[in-house]
Amino acid sequence: MRIFSGVQPTGIFHIGDYLGALKQFVQLQEENHCLYCVVDLHAITLPTDPKVLKEHILDVAALYMAVGIDPKKQIIFVQSDVPYHSELAWILMCNTYTGELSRMTQYKDKSKGEESSPAGLFTYPVLMAADILLYDTDTVPVGNDQKQHIEITRDIAVRVNNKFPGTFVVPEGRFLKEGARIMSLDDPLTKMSKSSPNPFSRISLLDDEDTIRKAVKKATTDSFDNIAYDEKNRPAVSNLLTIYSVFSGMTIEKIVKLNEGKGYGAFKKDLGEVIITALRPIKERYEEIRNSEELVVCLRDGSERAYALAEKTMKRVKDNFGLGTVS
Ligand code: TYM
């Protein structure tokens, strides 16, 4: 199967990105042909400092490799290095309705309270659809927050196929049962995000050990005196149990059993160590890769391979739409 996914280079990954998306990326590479993209064109939908963006692009690419994606077997590349993404986005925009874009919750959230916002923020989902459809993708591993974007991608693909049969492969989203939505440590009702002003609301993959211990210690809990999973009534502790479970590989039932009769102090101490142990090898690999020449060589090679695949799809799309001078 062809797998495609992307991450915005807007900061260092947090454990939500890792557990919701990146862990799947690594699992899927065993039996599939995968493309993992650093979506820098999406990152400029909101104001960005060019110097910081350049660094974040390399940070994200190095983290892809540090979590275990093999750039020789799979393709790791930067979106703007393959200009076909923008070209296909335009063609898709002509087949997308403003009504459907204005229903996107991410757009509504990000433009909230603004009298006017960048048109790129509005058309963001169309560029994402172009990313996916450009590579004849079968499966898109993502966290739950991307569900609406996958749906609109499918709608656009089906709409174009109805006009011009055989233009696109209609992709499926792939969401995990556990980890698909990791919540903030300071507010279990909002998703963990790179943009929250409180640094203790998240744990970054590169945080040092003391920061991780401190963030877990500060994490919101509740006033019950036992550790139990109940997403509806006890969202904070349920979120911590999910994080514990996905990092340790233990079932939630087993963790609850291990913590019978214990308080939050002991539970959080264990959780901090579980996270530190899981992130240690990632951090070590990241340090090796981030400043190596290999990183840029791998990205150049990845862009070339992605370009060749994209070129084939674009030829088919342009032919089907009757675009260009000759076919
Ligand atoms: P981004 O950069 O916001 O997030 C990257 C991936 O991490 C997942 N994720 C989470 N999963 C669980 N819990 C959380 N708290 C959490 N926070 C983030 C996201 O679901 C995502 O899978 N629009 C995309 C980037 C994109 C893309 C694409 C993805 C652009 N083109 C094509 C797939 C295919 C985004 O903003 O992800």
Side-chain angles (χ1 to χ4, degrees):
M1 277 200 311
R2 177 73 57 80
I3 311 289
F4 182 97
S5 199
V7 176
Q8 294 194 66
T10 43
I12 297 294
F13 293 146
H14 51 68
I15 57 172
D17 299 314
Y18 178 62
L19 300 177
L22 290 153
K23 253 189 121 183
Q24 299 196 66
F25 295 4
V26 180
Q27 288 158 359
L28 285 165
Q29 70 172 344
E30 294 311 319
E31 290 177 359
N32 301 290
H33 181 196
C34 308
L35 291 110
Y36 296 127
C37 187
V38 183
V39 291
D40 55 347
L41 293 170
H42 280 104
I44 60 164
T45 48
L46 290 173
T48 30
D49 174 334
K51 284 204 189 88
V52 175
L53 177 61
K54 264 263 178 302
E55 291 302 311
H56 280 332
I57 289 171
L58 296 177
D59 293 341
V60 167
L63 276 167
Y64 271 154
M65 296 177 201
V67 297
I69 298 163
D70 182 345
K72 302 235 160 57
K73 289 197 189 126
Q74 309 301 344
I75 297 180
I76 298 180
F77 75 108
V78 179
Q79 186 186 32
S80 67
D81 286 346
V82 181
Y84 291 128
H85 289 250
S86 312
E87 188 178 0
L88 182 58
W90 174 257
I91 296 173
L92 299 183
M93 247 181 269
C94 298
N95 287 276
T96 307
Y97 294 95
T98 51
E100 51 190 347
L101 290 177
S102 54
R103 285 195 291 276
M104 293 286 121
T105 50
Q106 191 164 306
Y107 168 69
K108 286 197 233 166
D109 287 349
K110 291 198 173 164
S111 60
K112 210 192 248 160
E114 305 288 338
E115 206 176 289
S116 183
S117 57
L121 200 58
F122 188 61
T123 55
Y124 178 114
V126 189
L127 179 59
M128 178 158 163
D131 299 340
I132 297 168
L133 300 179
L134 194 49
Y135 297 98
D136 291 339
T137 304
D138 300 294
T139 302
V140 190
V142 276
N144 266 352
D145 60 334
Q146 300 299 316
K147 258 191 181 148
Q148 222 187 1
H149 289 157
I150 303 294
E151 272 317 305
I152 196 172
T153 301
R154 290 169 54 84
D155 291 346
I156 297 169
V158 169
R159 185 174 301 144
V160 171
N161 284 350
N162 283 338
K163 275 198 219 167
F164 309 119
T167 305
F168 293 125
V169 171
V170 181
E172 303 268 351
R174 185 177 191 270
F175 311 94
L176 292 176
K177 238 170 94 207
E178 259 183 17
R181 195 170 168 81
I182 298 294
M183 310 310 282
S184 278
L185 298 181
D186 61 343
D187 173 8
L189 300 181
T190 60
K191 147 191 115 139
M192 184 176 286
S193 86
K194 296 185 198 103
S195 56
S196 163
N198 177 9
F200 290 112
S201 67
R202 59 183 167 264
I203 292 174
S204 136
L205 296 199
L206 302 178
D207 276 346
D208 62 49
E209 300 190 356
D210 280 345
T211 307
I212 297 176
R213 286 192 190 100
K214 206 162 162 190
V216 176
K217 200 169 167 197
K218 276 174 163 283
T220 304
T221 46
D222 53 35
S223 50
F224 290 84
D225 58 4
N226 65 336
I227 312 283
Y229 190 88
D230 177 349
E231 219 180 297
K232 194 156 167 261
N233 299 308
R234 302 185 60 187
V237 65
S238 301
N239 187 42
L240 297 182
L241 279 165
T242 301
I243 296 172
Y244 198 130
S245 166
V246 242
F247 271 122
S248 65
M250 265 192 256
T251 62
I252 289 184
E253 293 74 42
K254 188 160 180 207
I255 302 164
V256 168
K257 205 153 196 322
L258 277 175
N259 281 279
E260 253 166 17
K262 288 195 199 163
Y264 279 126
F267 170 65
K268 284 179 162 182
K269 213 163 165 214
D270 284 354
L271 174 58
E273 296 316 308
V274 163
I275 300 174
I276 288 169
T277 308
L279 296 187
R280 193 173 290 134
I282 297 177
K283 259 172 73 178
E284 285 170 5
R285 274 200 299 273
Y286 174 84
E287 299 301 339
E288 279 169 31
I289 298 164
R290 177 62 177 85
N291 293 314
S292 70
E293 299 210 343
E294 189 202 341
L295 178 59
V296 177
V297 173
C298 285
L299 287 177
R300 287 219 180 96
D301 173 61
S303 307
E304 274 172 28
R305 289 190 285 146
Y307 189 98
L309 294 172
E311 193 172 33
K312 265 198 196 156
T313 313
M314 274 315 285
K315 183 169 179 334
R316 186 177 73 227
V317 172
K318 287 175 82 172
D319 277 351
N320 288 3
F321 275 86
L323 292 163
T325 320
V326 281
S327 65

